[in-house]
């Protein structure tokens, strides 16, 4: 279901690991306009970090490619974050979403999707082999009354 968007950003960067922190911080700064709690902000940062790291590590294992991150403020105090790559794609999404499954070698925990799912209200994944992967994450933030009237 499409939500009415009141504000959005789009970021595009190379799949360098140094850009993960940039994406995490940029989305957190954007989300700040929604007056999130510190816990909500940390949840958002963690989920973005995992999604972007997955794109960097798994989509482009031997070359650089583009990663696009979109964040949108939607009606109902909903934050929607999309992380998209044009990399190699995921052969089996259900398997990839299982805890401890990884194609990234021994140094990877295989917990990326599990972590995203634990910090966001909804995570959807679409992938086409050889064309890339799109992860859409949604989080409804608590409605808070402003201290200023």
């Amino acid at each position: 279901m499409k939500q009415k968007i009141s504000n959005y950003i789009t970021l595009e960067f190379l799949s360098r690991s140094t850009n993960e922190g940039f994406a995490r911080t940029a989305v957190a700064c954007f989300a700040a306009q929604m007056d999130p709690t510190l816990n909500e902000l940390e949840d958002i940062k963690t989920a973005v970090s995992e999604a972007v790291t997955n794109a960097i590590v798994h989509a482009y294992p031997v070359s650089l490619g583009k990663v696009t991150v979109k964040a949108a403020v939607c009606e109902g105090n909903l934050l929607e974050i999309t992380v998209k790559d044009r990399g190699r794609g995921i052969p089996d999404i259900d398997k990839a979403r299982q805890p401890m499954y990884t194609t990234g070698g021994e140094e990877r925990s295989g917990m990326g999707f599990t972590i995203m799912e634990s910090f966001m209200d909804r995570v959807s994944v679409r992938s086409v082999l050889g064309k890339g992967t799109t992860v859409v994450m949604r989080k409804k933030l608590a409605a808070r009354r402003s201290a200023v009237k």
Side-chain angles (χ1 to χ4, degrees), residues 60-80:
Y60 307 108
V62 294
S63 64
L64 291 176
K66 289 182 190 176
V67 176
T68 304
V69 175
K70 296 179 181 184
V73 175
C74 303
E75 64 185 341
N77 221 32
L78 181 72
L79 179 67
E80 181 176 274

Side-chain angles (χ1 to χ4, degrees), residues 15-55:
S15 60
R16 296 187 186 280
S17 61
T18 54
N19 288 330
E20 175 272 323
F22 163 71
R24 177 183 65 233
T25 302
V27 172
C29 288
F30 176 78
Q33 69 188 285
M34 299 175 74
D35 196 23
T37 65
L38 288 176
N39 286 339
E40 289 171 331
L41 205 52
E42 286 304 314
D43 291 353
I44 292 162
K45 288 165 57 176
T46 300
V48 169
S49 180
E50 292 296 331
V52 169
T53 297
N54 274 0

Side-chain angles (χ1 to χ4, degrees), residues 43-44 46-52 54 78-84 90 93-94 96-98 111-127 133-140:
D43 291 353
I44 292 162
T46 300
V48 169
S49 180
E50 292 296 331
V52 169
N54 274 0
L78 181 72
L79 179 67
E80 181 176 274
I81 303 161
T82 303
V83 178
K84 181 177 184 175
I90 301 172
I93 293 172
D94 290 334
R97 291 179 85 154
Q98 294 300 310
M111 295 298 289
F113 284 122
T114 302
I115 291 169
M116 286 179 244
E117 290 167 345
S118 68
F119 288 112
M120 303 301 280
D121 297 325
R122 183 168 181 227
V123 176
S124 63
V125 183
R126 294 182 311 273
S127 191
T133 301
T134 302
V135 175
V136 179
M137 303 179 288
R138 290 183 175 160
K139 184 166 188 72
K140 183 168 178 62

